């Protein structure tokens, strides 16, 4: 049984509730345990994962959050840098499923976050578990 850490950027509560529900359901369905930690925004997700890796307590990680385009360049910075941070960690061999949504508007985010629709939280958890299995196989 693996221990998975869900790291959620809790900026949009109603959207994060859906992402986390999907991730938790996927992890439970696979028979694994999980913990959840919350960070202020998507830029903090990679840092939180890096801190958790140092603890050695987790086998894989699920990165969750929502970044919705606004009127300023800030969207590009948050979307690009959070993705870059998560990717850098995966290149170090850490099993991560990236479920940080980057959308044009809230309607797109709802469709992607909702477990009854695209279930990107569940998809991110499944990706983390798939990468963990691959790491173990290639070990």
């Amino acid at each position: 049984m693996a221990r998975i850490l869900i790291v959620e950027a809790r900026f949009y509560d109603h959207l994060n509730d859906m992402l986390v529900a999907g991730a938790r359901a996927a992890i439970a369905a696979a028979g694994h345990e999980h913990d959840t930690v919350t960070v202020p925004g998507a830029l903090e997700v990679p840092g939180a994962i890096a801190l958790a890796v140092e603890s050695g307590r987790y086998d894989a990680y699920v990165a969750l959050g929502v970044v919705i385009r606004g009127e300023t360049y800030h969207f590009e910075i948050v979307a690009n840098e959070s993705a870059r941070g998560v990717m850098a960690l995966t290149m170090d061999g850490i099993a991560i499923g990236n479920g940080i949504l980057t959308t044009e508007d809230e309607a797109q985010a709802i469709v992607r976050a909702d477990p009854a629709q695209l279930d990107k939280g569940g998809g991110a958890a499944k990706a983390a578990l798939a990468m963990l299995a691959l790491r173990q196989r290639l070990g």
Side-chain angles (χ1 to χ4, degrees):
M1 176 182 316
R3 187 130 193 100
I4 314 302
L5 180 65
I6 299 169
V7 179
E8 65 157 335
R10 192 88 183 159
F11 195 79
Y12 298 100
D13 290 343
H14 64 296
L15 299 170
N16 271 72
D17 288 344
M18 291 188 280
L19 286 170
V20 171
R24 287 177 175 164
I27 293 166
H32 300 293
E33 296 180 350
H34 64 83
D35 290 327
T36 303
V37 296
T38 301
V39 297
L43 288 174
E44 289 76 34
V45 170
I49 292 172
L51 291 172
V53 167
E54 290 178 10
S55 78
R57 295 187 346 210
Y58 299 99
D59 302 299
Y61 304 86
V62 181
L64 299 178
V66 179
V67 184
I68 297 175
R69 183 177 300 278
E71 296 177 2
T72 68
Y73 183 66
H74 186 67
F75 170 84
E76 282 82 4
I77 292 170
V78 175
N80 293 338
E81 292 303 311
S82 63
R84 185 195 58 77
V86 170
M87 183 56 68
L89 293 167
T90 64
M91 296 302 290
D92 287 338
I94 300 165
I96 303 173
N98 189 350
I100 299 175
L101 305 181
T102 53
T103 65
E104 295 294 322
D105 54 43
E106 184 177 354
Q108 289 178 348
I110 290 169
V111 169
R112 286 158 179 76
D114 187 352
Q117 295 184 60
L118 294 181
D119 190 22
K120 294 298 185 177
K126 290 174 185 174
L129 294 172
M131 293 305 292
L132 174 60
L134 180 62
R135 187 178 73 207
Q136 291 170 336
R137 191 177 99 216
L138 298 176

